[in-house]
Amino acid sequence: MRKQTTLLKLGVTCAIIFIISSCDSLEDKKGRFLLKGNEKLEENDPKSAMGFYQEAIALDSTYSDAYFNKAMAHLQLNQIEESILDLSKAIQFRPDYFEAIFQRGLSYLDNGEFYKAEEDADRLLSLDPNNWKSHFLAGLSQEKLKNYPEALQAFEKASAIDPSNSDLMVNQATILFYQKEYSRANEILHRAEAINPAEPNLHNLRSMILFEEKDLNGALESVDKAIALDNEQAYFYNNKGLYLLFLDKPEEGLDLINQSIQMDSKNPFAMRNKGIYYVLKGDKISALSYLEDLAKKYPDMELVQEYYAKAQAL
């Protein structure tokens, strides 16, 4: 008798739950999946987060926010192409989705699709020319396309809109570095440092300027500051490795260059630095195995032609 009563109570409870859940609106249901996904994303569990976002999309195939958040989860897993696809879906269903266009532009840059990034920058400038992100993406895309005057102008406009953003100043200084205007670059870095002395890219860029000015010890000190502030950037270790090569510490330098390659195997500057190492060691075959290909693919890269010629002369 007690068992039957329990089952009857259970049946009533299930019925009540069913009635309540059936009264939920579609917005409530998909919103709950979105929130659950966000919680997983905050817990650094992007795979589980994507499952919840997909549940939300299953309820509403035009749910732009779910596509956007799913794209952010893909980015945590370094799945750039998948992220671009989801961001494009978000934009398809909400053509004025500013943040989705911005993030897609950044993803295009990471994926080497510079002209598509430029198109997204133009789209942002049409949507909101008073937002620093519009000009920032424009500057990044023009930098990748090696249109340095246009890139500098875009970063200057972004900085005028958000003058407290030290990153925008560092980007301006980077363009000036490419143009070998080291004095102007240093002036901007000093202003940026007054705003945010803990910006690692600032110290890394300063190290690069000091290296060009033949101040190797100063370059090493600055890149060490960058690494202390952010020890997850492959190019910081690669730069330190280069400086150590020229400070007559080739084995220490090679260790750092190899560490950089393990972190980012696609960096041609690291391959150049390995080539320089082998030139310094007098190993012609190994040096040419790195520098010959780089001389063809990146003929304008600093130090490549110089050390390719030295490798050939060994």
Side-chain angles (χ1 to χ4, degrees):
M1 186 67 179
R2 291 180 64 186
K3 185 177 181 181
Q4 185 179 5
T5 304
T6 303
L7 287 172
L8 285 170
K9 287 182 179 178
L10 182 60
V12 171
T13 304
C14 288
I16 291 171
I17 292 172
F18 176 75
I19 291 168
I20 292 172
S21 63
S22 66
C23 292
D24 283 352
S25 69
L26 177 63
E27 290 298 317
D28 290 337
K29 290 178 182 177
K30 70 181 188 181
R32 275 201 299 272
F33 282 123
L34 190 75
L35 289 174
K36 288 179 180 178
N38 293 348
E39 289 172 2
K40 289 297 180 182
L41 207 57
E42 289 177 5
E43 294 169 3
N44 199 29
D45 185 1
K47 290 185 178 179
S48 296
M50 282 191 280
F52 285 117
Y53 296 140
Q54 195 58 50
E55 292 282 359
I57 292 167
L59 292 171
D60 180 359
S61 62
T62 67
Y63 196 8
S64 291
D65 286 338
Y67 284 113
F68 177 85
N69 289 8
K70 187 163 167 274
M72 297 302 100
H74 279 302
L75 282 181
Q76 281 197 14
L77 296 168
N78 200 33
Q79 297 171 340
I80 297 173
E81 291 186 2
E82 292 86 345
S83 178
I84 290 171
L85 288 173
D86 279 330
L87 289 167
S88 296
K89 277 286 187 181
I91 296 162
Q92 176 186 340
F93 298 119
R94 196 194 306 175
D96 62 348
Y97 201 157
F98 185 96
E99 193 62 28
I101 299 167
F102 177 68
Q103 291 294 338
R104 187 176 69 174
L106 294 178
S107 295
Y108 277 142
L109 290 172
D110 287 339
N111 211 37
E113 299 178 82
F114 305 144
Y115 286 105
K116 289 184 178 179
E118 182 184 31
E119 290 174 4
D120 274 348
D122 290 340
R123 192 166 178 171
L124 291 182
L125 288 166
S126 297
L127 283 172
D128 189 356
N130 296 316
N131 191 314
W132 68 267
K133 290 182 177 180
S134 304
H135 300 282
F136 177 63
L137 183 59
L140 291 177
S141 59
Q142 293 307 314
E143 176 186 345
K144 290 297 186 181
L145 293 168
K146 301 189 184 301
N147 298 326
Y148 295 140
E150 293 85 348
L152 181 60
Q153 185 178 46
F155 289 137
E156 287 172 343
K157 287 180 179 178
S159 194
I161 294 169
D162 187 5
S164 64
N165 190 330
S166 61
D167 290 341
L168 299 176
M169 294 183 182
V170 174
N171 280 303
Q172 291 177 58
T174 299
I175 299 301
L176 292 168
F177 171 78
Y178 292 153
Q179 296 177 317
K180 301 186 184 301
E181 297 186 46
Y182 303 137
S183 178
R184 285 183 63 195
N186 267 320
E187 288 175 10
I188 293 175
L189 289 180
H190 283 302
R191 296 207 307 269
E193 189 171 15
I195 294 171
N196 183 14
E199 168 51 56
N201 288 303
L202 181 160
H203 297 288
N204 179 64
L205 180 58
R206 179 172 288 149
S207 80
M208 295 165 67
I209 293 171
L210 289 167
F211 176 76
E212 292 295 332
E213 294 176 339
K214 312 301 183 187
D215 183 354
L216 296 177
N217 289 311
L220 188 62
E221 181 181 347
S222 288
V223 80
D224 276 337
K225 287 181 182 178
I227 292 170
L229 291 165
D230 184 352
N231 62 7
E232 296 183 355
Q233 298 299 330
Y235 54 96
F236 293 174
Y237 295 101
N238 184 51
N239 284 349
K240 183 176 179 179
L242 176 67
Y243 308 154
L244 288 170
L245 293 184
F246 283 88
L247 284 166
D248 200 25
K249 297 179 180 179
E251 302 310 321
E252 290 180 46
L254 181 63
D255 286 343
L256 288 166
I257 294 164
N258 284 333
Q259 180 179 344
S260 175
I261 292 170
Q262 288 177 352
M263 297 169 73
D264 178 8
S265 61
K266 298 180 180 179
N267 183 1
F269 289 94
M271 302 303 167
R272 176 202 67 184
N273 292 350
K274 283 202 77 166
I276 292 173
Y277 166 83
Y278 286 116
V279 169
L280 296 176
K281 299 297 288 186
D283 185 341
K284 180 174 184 176
I285 294 174
S286 296
L288 288 175
S289 71
Y290 287 97
L291 296 170
E292 189 168 24
D293 189 50
L294 288 171
K296 295 174 183 175
K297 290 183 178 177
Y298 306 97
D300 297 326
M301 183 186 291
E302 292 286 339
L303 301 176
V304 165
Q305 299 297 339
E306 176 185 348
Y307 279 86
Y308 178 48
K310 288 182 178 181
Q312 290 175 307
L314 288 174

